[in-house]
Amino acid sequence: VNPNPGILPETSHNINAGVLYTGKKVGIEFNGFYRNTDHIIYLKTSRFFSQNQNLLKSETKGFEIEMKYKPLRFISFSTNATFQDIRNKSLLENSGTFDNRYYNARMPNIPYFFGNGEVRLSKENKDKHIHSIQIWWNMNYVHEFYLYWSTDGDKDKKAVIPTQFVQNAGISCSLLKQSLSVSLEVFNMADQRVFDNFNIQKPGRSVSLKLRYFIQKVSSVN
């Protein structure tokens, strides 16, 4: 990533509106947003390097939704999704030259639709050797998006960060009156191919085991 000492801060006029419902078992939150941004910062990529740069104007429309459901005391479900349509609204280049080549094109190298979901089981036994136990499964979804401007190049040969669906699972136990904690997590259970925003492949499945022991310091009174 090359430095850019001439980069300018963003200036944005925003409108946000949301609705929230909270019940005994169900919670739903919906937020819509609109952003009119000057000098939006984005990561311009090329074959050998990238650089953070400004565009003169952009417009963003989108929404976020989150839902939680807890039918029983020991089980809960949660999910959320975000859609953000970020469009170039500048008819000029930063130099002031007229250029409508990318006008109204979606901003490159930025995911525009993604979401998460989780199922969690939890149980507490305060008077037992196993104080508490939690089991969870979650997923992360990112829809495909272009590495470069969508208006450039042959549609069938464009660099695309593909759709990614990653599942993780884990179990955690608290033992010996919460003195010992044991956690086992499996990341990317299905060993799917996953990529970063540069279209570089990231590591596949991994397993993590964590042990924590808490020592309580007892102070004596003279």
Side-chain angles (χ1 to χ4, degrees):
V1 178
N2 285 349
N4 184 2
I7 201 165
L8 299 173
E10 295 181 354
T11 303
S12 187
H13 302 276
N14 307 323
I15 298 175
N16 304 281
V19 178
L20 173 66
Y21 169 79
T22 303
K24 292 183 178 180
K25 295 184 177 181
V26 179
I28 302 174
E29 183 174 2
F30 178 86
N31 292 292
F33 52 86
Y34 172 84
R35 299 169 186 155
N36 189 336
T37 308
D38 295 334
H39 304 300
I40 187 173
I41 298 172
Y42 77 107
L43 187 65
K44 183 178 180 180
T45 58
S46 66
R47 185 174 180 182
F48 299 108
F49 65 90
S50 61
Q51 185 183 56
N52 287 294
Q53 295 189 1
N54 293 113
L55 275 181
L56 293 182
K57 283 187 176 296
S58 72
E59 182 182 70
T60 303
K61 299 175 183 177
F63 66 85
E64 300 171 328
I65 185 169
E66 182 177 12
M67 294 182 289
K68 296 180 179 180
Y69 178 51
K70 193 169 185 178
L72 300 170
R73 186 176 180 181
F74 62 90
I75 186 171
S76 62
F77 302 87
S78 63
T79 183
N80 65 77
T82 299
F83 176 80
Q84 52 180 11
D85 189 24
I86 309 174
R87 300 278 176 171
N88 174 32
K89 292 296 181 179
S90 177
L91 290 171
L92 299 175
E93 295 182 349
N94 291 334
S95 60
T97 305
F98 182 82
D99 183 6
N100 64 351
R101 179 181 178 185
Y102 301 124
Y103 181 77
N104 209 39
R106 177 172 283 149
M107 294 289 292
N109 201 30
I110 300 176
Y112 63 90
F113 181 61
F114 49 91
N116 304 283
E118 182 181 77
V119 179
R120 182 175 292 266
L121 303 172
S122 59
K123 180 68 175 176
E124 287 192 3
N125 297 297
K126 295 184 179 180
D127 298 327
K128 304 293 182 181
H129 292 295
I130 301 178
H131 182 272
S132 64
I133 183 170
Q134 294 190 61
I135 302 172
W136 67 88
W137 167 87
N138 62 52
M139 68 87 183
N140 303 297
Y141 174 86
V142 180
H143 194 69
E144 69 176 21
F145 57 97
Y146 289 115
L147 181 61
Y148 308 112
W149 288 101
S150 60
T151 52
D152 284 345
D154 187 340
K155 182 179 180 180
D156 297 327
K157 297 180 181 179
K158 292 179 183 180
V160 175
I161 289 86
T163 296
Q164 301 173 67
F165 181 76
V166 179
Q167 301 177 71
N168 312 300
I171 181 171
S172 175
C173 296
S174 178
L175 311 169
L176 304 177
K177 296 182 179 180
Q178 295 184 291
S179 296
L180 176 64
S181 175
V182 182
S183 299
L184 176 66
E185 293 184 82
V186 182
F187 302 94
N188 194 1
M189 294 170 54
D191 200 24
Q192 296 290 311
R193 296 180 67 190
V194 290
F195 303 86
D196 63 13
N197 282 21
F198 295 95
N199 207 25
I200 297 174
Q201 188 170 353
K202 298 194 293 187
R205 183 191 300 115
S206 64
V207 180
S208 171
L209 177 64
K210 182 186 294 184
L211 303 175
R212 293 190 301 171
Y213 186 73
F214 300 92
I215 300 176
Q216 183 177 1
K217 184 178 179 180
V218 179
S219 58
S220 58
V221 179
N222 296 327

